[in-house]
């Protein structure tokens, strides 16, 4: 039966190429937009190279200090000393890494200037993160205690700084801000959309200019707590918050008195969304309202369009319906047939969208808009798209099918 | 004629609901996009107020070195002035033009409080960025005598603080005396809204404003830059030095604005193409269905152009219905003052959206109605 319906659907599609084109255009366009969007969100928030452990990590990125009236507020990353004291010593996590946000700098080769992003990390950074080492190895605790001037660089920076690509860069010297560092390893870089790991050059935190000695609470450092497995995340958060709560308040620092201190350890996505939502409930309502509206338009408009086209087209097939009704086909069967037809065409549209999406993703990845971009259509993105496909098929199938099924036999046969 | 068309549409309102909803939704999308574009175009047309070509921002960070920082910064400025390649040098707070940093503060005059962007700069600032002071003059170090410190404000701040009064010599916030008024200062680039800005004179002991702007002669390249960085690094041990070209930073700021607008425009563009195609299909079918009616009208003497005008008129009435509903939503934005935009902006956006919708529906109806006009009464009535 199903095969029969699909055969009929196929014939109907071929009969009016123009209407088929309209329908397919609408479906594939919407799905493409949705899939590129999900793929981009997936790129931003899921576990990907080199942050493959994101799902079992907690991020400590922001400290918020408030005064007693809660009118003044100061927030930002923390100092190395603070994290070293309160995060590094936690018992429950498997590992804790402390690293700085990225800083900009320049390196000069001849009359060329290379824009650089630098990052100071501890040795655990390389164990928490899953970098591909193309050459050499990361710096170790030993390098850090010795205060060695060593650096890990990315392949992109190697290409710019060492014109001779055949030679190994390990052991060579790079000069950044008049300080000479020895290259100890070369990694495949991380895209700029992952600010935790993105940099061109990585230094041990003991390297000059990292300001790790600073004793205030705030500074330029952040931390990641890696759990042994996902179920430990809550225990880790509890232990960390317990420590934070034990810090005696109020704190007096640089002539400011803070009576309220907040340091959150959160999963990656929560961290980002939290920062956007920090503006209070009004902003939250506007944001969600805008998002809902955009999504509604993105999905609703093409669906409406399809319904419209289908409603007008279904009358063309009135004679076919009339005959089937005259021979005793019940309404459910007819409705079912039309829904199957719609799902069928939606799936074709989905397939086209899949092709379009992979084209766009390939284009984004290779265009260099985002260096090291690795957008993919992975299983979850694909499943979401298929699900959306089916909802679409339903939306645009049910209404015309109902309208058609109410047609009386006499009317239908008359035309 | 028009009332007749209204009656025709009203009689078939149920069949037309979906079309109306579709046009309404397209109108809303267009209204959103047009607002976004009108806002940005409006901002773009406001002059920037300063010249950024060949200006570099040198970002100095003293790191662990905390002794005599102000002194050392002063020495760096003196050193920079000696290079023949450098035309002008000026120190300023970290919110230099096109940077990601922002500083704002309330300024008060006569109980009128205006939140404005605040910049701390020195006497060479106007020269370095090619700023022309329209009223009064840019402050000099010598202006900082007595109780009050000199301040330069922009036109927007003057308007909001003093209205039509003369700003020169006025005391604001009990601390500053206005010595000059300049035009715009849109530090975040052309797409920034023109906001009130105030400039105050940097004190000699200021040690935390760590940006030095230098204007170099055209054609100065990275060799000179490397040389400068090296010299500064030898002068002050342990400091970090980073050079930003304002032209590069400007590009970053522009991308922050343009990329979302371009994505929104592409997506809306495809949505509208989609709607237009669908509308075209629906009209095509519905006109084909009315062949009998058309044939009859032709037979009793209606002209071809009369027929096509009727169909275009019908779709215009439909579109008007839809947009009246859309207007109910759209006028809420200027009425409730959402997003703090001028109501003129919304009105222009509504106007643009209305025009585009009429354009789209006319285009979609044009071909099917021409087809209808060509129908011969004999054939059409014969089919009946």
């Amino acid at each position: 039966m199903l095969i029969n319906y699909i055969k009929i659907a196929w014939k109907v599609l071929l009969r009016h190429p123009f209407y088929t084109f309209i329908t397919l255009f609408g479906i594939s366009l919407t799905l493409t937009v949705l899939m590129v969007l999900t793929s981009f969100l997936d790129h931003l928030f899921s576990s990907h190279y080199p942050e493959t452990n994101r799902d079992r990590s907690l991020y400590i990125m922001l400290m918020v200090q408030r005064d007693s009236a809660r009118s003044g507020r100061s927030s930002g990353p923390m100092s190395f000393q603070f994290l070293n004291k309160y995060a590094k010593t936690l018992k429950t996590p498997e590992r804790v890494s402390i690293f700085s946000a990225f800083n900009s700098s320049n390196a000069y080769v001849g009359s060329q200037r290379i824009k650089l992003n630098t990052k100071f990390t501890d040795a655990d950074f390389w164990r928490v993160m899953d970098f591909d080492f193309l050459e050499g190895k990361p710096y170790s605790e030993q390098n850090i205690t010795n205060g060695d001037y060593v650096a890990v660089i990315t392949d992109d920076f190697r290409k710019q700084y060492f014109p001779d690509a055949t030679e190994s860069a390990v052991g060579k010297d790079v000069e950044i801000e008049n300080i000479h560092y020895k290259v100890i390893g070369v990694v495949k870089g991380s895209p700029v959309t992952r600010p935790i790991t993105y940099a061109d050059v990585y230094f041990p935190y003991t390297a000059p200019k990292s300001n790790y000695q600073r004793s205030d609470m705030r500074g330029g450092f952040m931390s990641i707590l890696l759990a042994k497995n996902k179920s430990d995340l809550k225990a880790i958060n509890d232990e960390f918050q317990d420590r934070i709560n034990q810090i005696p308040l109020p704190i007096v620092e640089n002539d400011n008195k803070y009576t309220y201190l907040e340091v959150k350890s959160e999963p990656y996505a929560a961290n980002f969304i939290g920062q956007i939502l920090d503006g209070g409930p009004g902003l939250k309502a506007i944001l969600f309202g805008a998002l809902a509206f955009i999504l509604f338009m993105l999905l609703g408009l093409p669906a409406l369009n399809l319904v419209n086209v289908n409603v007008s087209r279904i009358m063309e097939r009135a004679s076919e319906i009339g005959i089937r009704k005259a021979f005793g086909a019940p309404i459910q069967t007819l409705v079912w047939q039309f829904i199957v037809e719609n799902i069928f065409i939606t799936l074709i549209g989905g397939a086209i969208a899949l092709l379009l999406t992979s084209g766009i993703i390939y284009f984004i990845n290779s265009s260099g808009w985002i260096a090291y971009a690795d957008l993919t259509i992975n299983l979850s993105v694909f499943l979401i798209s298929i699900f959306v496909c089916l909802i679409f098929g339903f939306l645009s199938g049910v209404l015309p099918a109902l309208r058609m099924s109410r047609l009386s036999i006499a009317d239908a046969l008359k035309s | 004629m028009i009332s007749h068309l209204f009656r025709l549409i009203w009689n078939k309102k149920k069949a037309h609901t979906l079309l109306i909803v579709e046009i309404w939704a397209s109108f809303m999308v267009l209204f959103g996009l047009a607002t976004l574009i009108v806002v940005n175009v409006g901002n773009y047309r406001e002059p920037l107020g300063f010249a950024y070509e060949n200006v570099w921002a040198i970002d100095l960070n003293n790191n662990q070195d905390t002794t005599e920082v102000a002194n050392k910064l002063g020495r760096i400025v003196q050193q920079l002035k000696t290079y023949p390649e450098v035309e002008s040098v000026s120190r300023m707070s970290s919110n230099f033009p096109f940077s990601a940093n922002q500083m704002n503060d309330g300024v008060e005059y006569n109980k009128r409080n205006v939140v404005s962007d605040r910049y701390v700069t020195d006497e060479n600032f106007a020269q370095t960025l090619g700023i022309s002071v329209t009223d009064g003059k840019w402050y000099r170090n010598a202006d900082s005598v007595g109780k009050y410190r000199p301040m330069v404000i922009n036109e927007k701040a003057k308007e909001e603080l003093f209205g039509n009064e003369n700003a020169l010599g006025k005391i604001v916030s009990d601390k500053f005396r206005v010595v000059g008024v300049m035009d715009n200062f849109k530090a975040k680039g052309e797409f920034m809204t023109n906001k009130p800005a105030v400039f105050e004179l940097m004190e000699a002991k200021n040690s935390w404003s760590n940006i030095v702007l230098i204007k170099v002669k055209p054609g100065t390249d990275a060799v000179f830059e490397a040389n400068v960085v090296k010299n500064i690094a030898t002068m002050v041990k342990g400091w970090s030095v980073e050079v930003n070209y304002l032209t590069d930073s400007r590009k970053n700021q522009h991308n922050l604005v343009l990329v979302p607008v371009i994505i929104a425009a592409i997506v809306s563009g495809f949505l509208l193409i989609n709607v237009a195609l669908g509308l075209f299909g629906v009209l095509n079918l519905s006109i084909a269905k009315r062949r009998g009616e058309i044939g009859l009208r032709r037979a009793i003497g209606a002209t071809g152009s009369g027929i096509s005008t009727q169909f275009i008129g019908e779709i215009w009435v439909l579109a008007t219905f839809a947009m009246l509903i859309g207007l109910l939503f759209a006028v809420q934005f200027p009425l409730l003052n959402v997003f703090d935009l001028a109501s003129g902006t919304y009105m222009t956006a509504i106007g643009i959206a209305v025009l585009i919708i009429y354009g789209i529906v006319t285009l979609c109806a044009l071909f099917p109605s021409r087809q209808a006009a060509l129908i011969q009464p004999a054939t059409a009535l014969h089919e009946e």
Side-chain angles (χ1 to χ4, degrees):
Chain A
M1 206 63 217
L2 201 65
I3 302 217
N4 241 344
Y5 289 161
I6 290 174
K7 271 188 197 158
I8 295 172
W10 183 245
K11 287 285 178 245
V12 171
L13 285 188
L14 291 181
R15 203 161 59 199
H16 282 292
F18 177 66
Y19 293 103
T20 313
F21 169 72
I22 296 179
T23 318
L24 285 180
F25 182 85
I27 297 174
S28 41
L29 163 78
T30 319
L31 289 179
T32 308
V33 172
L34 271 182
M35 269 158 77
V36 172
L37 210 70
T38 32
S39 157
F40 198 71
L41 289 178
D42 181 75
H43 166 84
L44 286 183
F45 293 118
S46 295
S47 308
H48 286 294
Y49 174 85
E51 300 175 37
T52 43
N53 295 326
R54 223 180 234 177
D55 49 345
R56 56 182 176 105
S57 305
L58 288 177
Y59 292 71
I60 307 173
M61 291 166 75
L62 198 71
M63 169 187 276
V64 182
Q65 297 164 312
R66 282 181 233 258
D67 59 20
S68 53
R70 296 218 175 171
S71 56
R73 181 193 130 108
S74 160
S75 67
M78 293 132 282
S79 69
F80 184 86
Q81 299 302 336
F82 173 83
L83 288 168
N84 203 29
K85 189 169 169 194
Y86 294 102
K88 194 82 182 174
T89 48
L90 289 174
K91 298 282 181 297
T92 23
E94 182 184 318
R95 277 186 196 290
V96 177
S97 167
I98 303 175
F99 52 89
S100 71
F102 66 77
N103 308 82
S104 320
S105 183
N106 295 315
Y108 301 91
V109 187
S111 65
Q112 277 285 309
R113 161 172 109 128
I114 306 174
K115 278 193 142 190
L116 277 186
N117 291 293
T118 60
K119 196 181 263 299
F120 299 96
T121 77
D122 59 3
D124 272 329
F125 183 75
W126 304 105
R127 299 184 190 107
V128 171
M129 297 303 169
D130 198 14
F131 275 96
D132 271 353
F133 271 84
L134 305 173
E135 286 175 36
K137 55 176 180 22
Y139 37 80
S140 59
E141 274 86 359
Q142 190 59 47
N143 291 117
I144 288 175
T145 30
N146 293 351
D148 290 344
Y149 285 17
V150 290
V152 170
I153 62 173
T154 63
D155 50 346
D156 200 35
F157 178 60
R158 178 183 65 183
K159 213 167 30 188
Q160 292 181 60
Y161 198 86
F162 303 108
D164 184 5
T166 50
E167 251 178 276
S168 160
V170 171
K172 284 198 186 153
D173 192 85
V174 288
E175 185 188 348
I176 294 160
E177 291 189 3
N178 287 6
I179 301 172
H180 293 262
Y181 299 91
K182 202 176 83 182
V183 175
I184 195 169
V186 180
V187 290
K188 183 182 154 217
S190 167
V192 66
T193 41
R194 292 178 196 136
I196 302 289
T197 43
Y198 170 70
D200 297 300
V201 186
Y202 303 84
F203 300 117
Y205 66 85
T206 45
K209 302 176 184 177
S210 77
N211 296 327
Y212 76 99
Q213 309 94 325
R214 206 187 270 181
S215 59
D216 334 6
M217 301 185 87
R218 292 265 305 283
F221 285 87
M222 303 181 289
S223 183
I224 287 186
L225 315 174
L226 179 70
K228 291 186 193 77
N229 50 50
K230 263 189 190 171
S231 53
D232 286 353
L233 289 179
K234 199 186 168 306
I236 294 174
N237 187 34
D238 289 346
E239 191 193 354
F240 180 65
Q241 289 307 328
D242 209 40
R243 293 245 176 126
I244 296 297
N245 291 339
Q246 280 168 19
I247 299 174
L249 295 169
I251 307 149
V252 179
E253 219 176 64
N254 303 336
D255 299 336
N256 292 315
K257 190 172 162 195
Y258 299 112
T259 47
Y260 180 77
L261 180 80
E262 183 185 289
V263 191
K264 278 187 191 155
S265 59
E266 291 173 312
Y268 186 75
N271 237 309
F272 267 76
I273 296 164
Q275 277 179 35
I276 296 170
L277 295 185
D278 241 11
L283 191 71
K284 208 189 275 185
I286 289 180
L287 185 81
F288 280 118
L291 276 182
F293 181 75
I294 289 171
L295 206 65
F296 168 73
M297 286 303 169
L298 222 51
L299 281 173
L301 203 50
L304 212 63
N305 199 34
L306 283 186
V307 174
N308 248 330
V309 174
N310 281 346
V311 165
S312 354
R313 281 203 60 204
I314 212 110
M315 292 308 155
E316 270 188 12
R317 298 174 63 186
S319 54
E320 174 198 334
I321 298 155
I323 292 171
R324 292 206 51 202
K325 271 193 156 178
F327 278 97
I331 286 176
Q332 294 103 302
T333 321
L334 285 171
V335 171
W336 175 234
Q337 178 193 338
F338 278 81
I339 288 175
V340 168
E341 264 181 35
N342 256 298
I343 289 177
F344 174 69
I345 192 169
T346 320
L347 288 179
I348 295 180
I352 297 176
L354 206 60
L355 284 178
L356 282 177
T357 311
S358 34
I360 291 174
I361 283 177
Y362 174 78
F363 179 70
I364 293 177
N365 284 347
S366 56
S367 67
W369 287 343
I370 308 168
Y372 300 109
D374 52 358
L375 270 69
T376 45
I377 306 177
N378 59 16
L379 191 68
S380 58
V381 174
F382 185 70
L383 286 179
I384 293 171
S385 315
I386 288 290
F387 180 69
V388 175
C389 268
L390 292 179
I391 291 184
F392 244 84
F394 246 80
L395 272 179
S396 60
V398 169
L399 198 68
L402 278 178
R403 177 176 278 219
M404 169 276 312
S405 61
R406 282 203 302 264
L407 213 62
S408 77
I409 299 176
D411 278 344
L413 282 177
K414 196 188 115 202
S415 51
Chain B
M1 176 74 184
I2 289 180
S3 62
H4 176 67
L5 284 178
F6 263 100
R7 198 171 319 131
L8 271 181
I9 299 294
W10 189 251
N11 288 342
K12 291 175 73 182
K13 54 184 175 299
K14 228 174 132 189
H16 286 142
T17 342
L18 277 174
L19 270 184
I20 290 179
V21 174
E22 193 176 336
I23 297 175
W24 166 77
S26 316
F27 173 78
M28 294 312 288
V29 169
L30 263 174
F31 169 64
L33 184 69
T35 310
L36 203 61
I37 291 175
V38 168
V39 167
N40 283 312
V41 169
N43 285 342
Y44 191 83
R45 288 174 45 168
E46 286 273 341
L48 194 60
F50 60 92
Y52 53 85
E53 287 91 0
N54 294 315
V55 179
W56 299 354
I58 304 178
D59 190 343
L60 299 162
N61 190 340
N62 54 319
N63 294 327
Q64 294 300 307
D65 180 12
T66 48
T67 50
E68 295 206 317
V69 175
N71 228 333
K72 286 174 178 165
L73 280 166
R75 266 176 33 220
I76 292 172
V77 170
Q78 288 312 317
Q79 172 68 29
L80 284 168
K81 279 180 180 161
T82 61
Y83 294 105
E85 289 91 339
V86 176
E87 286 182 352
S88 174
V89 186
S90 167
R91 274 184 67 191
M92 85 173 292
S93 41
S94 61
N95 52 350
F96 65 95
F98 312 125
S99 71
N101 298 327
Q102 256 180 324
M103 263 161 64
N104 52 38
D105 217 352
V107 212
E108 206 181 88
Y109 176 73
N110 254 355
K111 304 222 163 61
R112 235 177 289 173
N113 197 323
V114 174
V115 176
S116 50
D117 284 332
R118 175 169 156 260
Y119 304 89
V120 183
T121 66
D122 64 9
E123 57 178 13
N124 296 319
F125 187 72
Q127 195 198 339
T128 312
L129 284 180
I131 291 170
S132 57
V133 182
T134 52
D135 201 4
K137 59 176 180 54
W138 195 265
Y139 45 60
R140 315 204 56 80
N141 284 340
D143 293 336
S144 192
V145 282
K147 193 177 159 201
Y148 300 114
R149 301 208 335 252
M151 174 179 259
V152 173
I153 60 177
N154 71 350
E155 197 63 43
K156 190 89 179 168
K158 183 201 154 197
E159 255 169 53
E160 297 197 8
L161 276 174
F162 310 110
N164 289 327
E165 291 171 52
N166 182 14
L168 290 191
K170 294 261 161 57
I171 308 296
V172 290
S173 301
D174 293 335
K175 251 196 323 204
F176 302 103
R177 200 167 57 88
V178 178
V179 299
V181 180
M182 64 167 293
D183 271 340
N184 298 348
F185 191 75
K186 301 205 296 179
K188 296 286 173 272
E190 278 90 340
F191 291 111
M192 177 185 150
T193 340
N194 188 20
K195 284 198 291 189
V198 299
F199 298 81
E200 55 180 84
L201 180 66
M202 185 176 291
E203 289 172 77
K205 62 177 197 307
N206 183 316
S207 61
W208 54 90
S209 294
N210 48 9
I211 300 290
V212 180
L213 293 178
I214 59 172
K215 183 171 179 125
V216 294
K217 296 224 166 78
T220 311
D221 63 1
V223 177
F224 172 67
E225 189 192 323
N227 193 9
V228 167
V229 172
K230 197 164 210 132
N231 279 345
I232 295 177
T234 41
M235 278 174 74
V236 280
K237 287 265 172 295
W239 286 35
S240 330
V241 185
E242 195 213 332
V243 180
N244 286 300
Y245 298 175
L246 290 200
T247 41
D248 292 349
S249 320
R250 175 172 169 269
K251 221 174 276 166
N252 288 343
Q253 285 291 341
H254 274 199
N255 284 345
L256 281 182
V257 178
L258 285 179
V259 168
V261 174
I262 291 172
I263 291 176
I266 292 176
V267 171
S268 316
F270 275 113
L271 274 182
L272 291 178
I273 292 177
N274 188 12
V275 168
L277 281 174
L279 213 58
F280 180 77
V282 171
L283 291 177
N284 218 357
L285 280 173
S286 76
I287 287 173
K289 231 188 289 171
R290 289 163 69 178
R291 279 175 74 85
E293 172 201 331
I294 298 162
L296 204 60
R297 286 201 55 201
R298 290 298 304 263
I300 58 173
T303 58
S305 65
I307 301 280
S308 42
T309 325
Q310 182 206 342
F311 282 109
I312 294 181
E314 275 187 34
I315 192 74
W316 275 50
V317 170
L318 259 186
T320 312
F321 261 132
M323 280 189 284
L324 284 178
I325 304 172
L327 274 180
L328 285 184
F329 288 84
V331 293
Q332 303 304 317
F333 285 84
L335 286 183
L336 300 176
N337 209 4
V338 187
F339 300 126
D340 259 347
L341 292 174
S343 47
T345 309
Y346 289 120
M347 290 308 162
T348 322
I350 289 175
I352 293 175
V354 167
L355 281 182
I356 296 180
I357 291 280
Y358 277 130
I360 289 179
V361 296
T362 315
L363 278 182
C364 291
L366 215 53
F367 179 73
S369 62
R370 293 257 316 235
Q371 292 286 96
L374 292 177
I375 290 174
Q376 290 303 314
T379 31
L381 291 174
H382 174 75
E383 279 168 14
E384 258 320 79

